């Protein structure tokens, strides 16, 4: 059941999402060669305290971090650690917050120092796929319209979409209906009503689509060890289109 939010719920979502974007921004500004992913987590922890916001991830199904920090071949759900970022890495930061009973969820993959042209292309295509997906959707559209926009943009550029993980509805829960795959056909799937709120997540691999989960039960990596990128916005579905609620200022 895809739930249309009430005006009050939309206000709650706007607040949570703006705060999620602020946290992502604060972490993003501190990405640099030599910093550890645990140090980035500490920056998020301080920012959450200042904003009076809770992490949506910490403790979720036993997840041990505030953020998911996914370096290079890690697709999603990287656990903050003593790993140091190095020149040429790409690092995905996923921020989920809970504020006043509502969730906001947003992710972005950042370059560390100077990165290769191939890595740069992966980031650009992934972000473009997310924006095309957001642009493909308005009240009454179908889940497959979003999925198809992601897949088409990705494959046209020679990359592959992750199939084992999906975007999702979001609201008073981090994960609500519908599931939003990164692959699919336009015109197919559930209809999305006006005032639905969705976390659209693009997960794109440089090589093969296959991924595996490591023995820590969380970290998801590409099997071929090639790079992967993750971009996510929470959006509000309106009559004329989708509005990004986790917009960076
Ligand atoms: N990355 C997921 C999302 O954006 C949520 C992470 S769940 C966690 O929906 F437990 F790993 F934090
Ligand atoms: Co997320
Ligand atoms: Co999400």
């Amino acid at each position: 059941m895809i739930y249309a939010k009430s005006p009050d719920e939309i206000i709650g979502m706007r607040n949570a999402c703006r705060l999620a974007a602020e946290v992502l921004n604060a972490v993003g500004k501190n990405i640099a060669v030599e910093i550890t992913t645990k140090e980035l987590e500490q920056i998020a922890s301080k920012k959450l305290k200042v904003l009076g916001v809770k992490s949506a991830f910490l403790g979720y199904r036993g997840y041990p971090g505030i953020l998911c920090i996914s370096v290079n071949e890690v697709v999603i759900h990287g656990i903050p650690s003593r790993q140091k970022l190095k020149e040429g890495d790409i690092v995905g930061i996923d921020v989920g917050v809970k504020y006043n009973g509502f969730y906001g969820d947003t992710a972005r993959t950042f370059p560390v120092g100077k990165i290769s042209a191939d890595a740069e292309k992966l980031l650009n295509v992934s972000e473009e796929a997310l924006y095309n997906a957001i642009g493909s959707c308005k009240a009454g559209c179908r889940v497959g319209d979003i999925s198809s926009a992601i897949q088409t943009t990705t494959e046209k550029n020679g990359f592959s979409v992750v199939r084992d993980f999906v975007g999702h509805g979001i609201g008073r829960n981090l994960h609500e209906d519908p599931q939003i795959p990164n692959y699919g056909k336009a015109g197919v799937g559930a209809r999305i009503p006006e005032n639905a709120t969705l976390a659209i997540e693009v997960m794109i691999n440089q090589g093969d689509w296959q991924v595996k989960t490591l023995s820590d039960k969380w970290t998801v990596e590409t099997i071929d060890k090639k790079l992967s990128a993750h971009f996510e916005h929470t959006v509000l579905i309106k009559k004329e289109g989708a509005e990004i609620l986790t917009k960076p200022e």
Side-chain angles (χ1 to χ4, degrees):
M1 163 66 187
I2 308 178
Y3 180 66
K5 270 64 182 177
S6 70
D8 280 351
E9 289 173 322
I10 290 171
I11 292 170
M13 286 302 290
R14 283 189 189 285
N15 289 331
C17 288
R18 180 177 37 80
L19 293 163
E22 259 186 67
V23 175
L24 180 57
N25 215 20
V27 175
K29 275 193 209 145
N30 283 280
I31 287 171
V33 174
E34 285 290 299
I35 197 164
T36 69
T37 58
K38 190 83 198 170
E39 286 165 341
L40 292 175
E41 166 107 335
Q42 279 152 4
I43 289 160
S45 172
K46 284 194 192 122
K47 190 76 185 175
L48 290 172
K49 279 211 187 83
V50 170
L51 297 173
V53 188
K54 287 248 171 322
S55 164
F57 297 165
L58 186 65
Y60 179 87
R61 297 188 178 186
Y63 184 72
I66 290 169
L67 304 176
C68 296
I69 306 187
S70 304
V71 180
N72 294 336
E73 71 274 11
V74 178
V75 180
I76 48 168
H77 300 168
I79 300 169
S81 71
R82 287 154 68 182
Q83 178 179 10
K84 282 186 176 164
L85 298 181
K86 21 180 233 321
E87 183 95 20
D89 284 347
I90 60 170
V91 56
I93 309 284
D94 193 349
V95 176
V97 304
K98 186 177 190 186
Y99 182 72
N100 263 340
F102 294 93
Y103 287 89
D105 190 6
T106 182
R108 178 175 190 89
T109 302
F110 297 86
V112 181
K114 179 144 182 55
I115 61 173
S116 70
D118 286 352
E120 184 113 37
K121 183 180 171 196
L122 178 69
L123 298 190
N124 289 338
V125 169
S126 303
E127 190 169 23
E128 188 192 335
L130 177 59
Y131 279 90
N132 287 346
I134 293 167
S136 75
C137 199
K138 60 180 181 189
C141 83
R142 293 185 185 264
V143 171
D145 299 338
I146 302 174
S147 301
S148 164
I150 297 170
Q151 184 175 20
T152 309
T153 309
T154 302
E155 292 180 354
K156 184 172 80 189
N157 284 285
F159 297 133
S160 61
V161 292
V162 171
R163 289 159 187 264
D164 300 4
F165 296 89
V166 293
H168 50 93
I170 182 169
R172 292 183 189 270
N173 302 288
L174 177 60
H175 295 134
E176 300 182 349
D177 284 347
Q179 296 197 351
I180 309 172
N182 279 194
Y183 63 95
K185 286 197 170 60
V188 169
R191 277 196 194 280
I192 301 170
E194 186 178 1
N195 296 329
T197 45
L198 307 176
I200 301 180
E201 306 197 35
V202 163
M203 293 157 277
I204 291 183
N205 295 349
Q206 193 177 33
D208 263 358
W209 63 268
Q210 279 94 346
V211 301
K212 63 165 189 235
T213 302
L214 302 190
S215 58
D216 65 16
K217 301 252 185 15
W218 284 103
T219 311
V220 177
E221 275 188 9
T222 57
I223 292 203
D224 61 15
K225 296 276 185 183
K226 292 190 178 170
L227 298 176
S228 186
H230 182 206
F231 285 77
E232 175 179 29
H233 273 312
T234 300
V235 305
L236 170 66
I237 303 301
K238 303 208 256 190
K239 275 205 182 70
E240 10 24 294
E243 178 190 340
I244 299 174
L245 301 182
T246 45
K247 227 182 172 65
E249 67 270 31

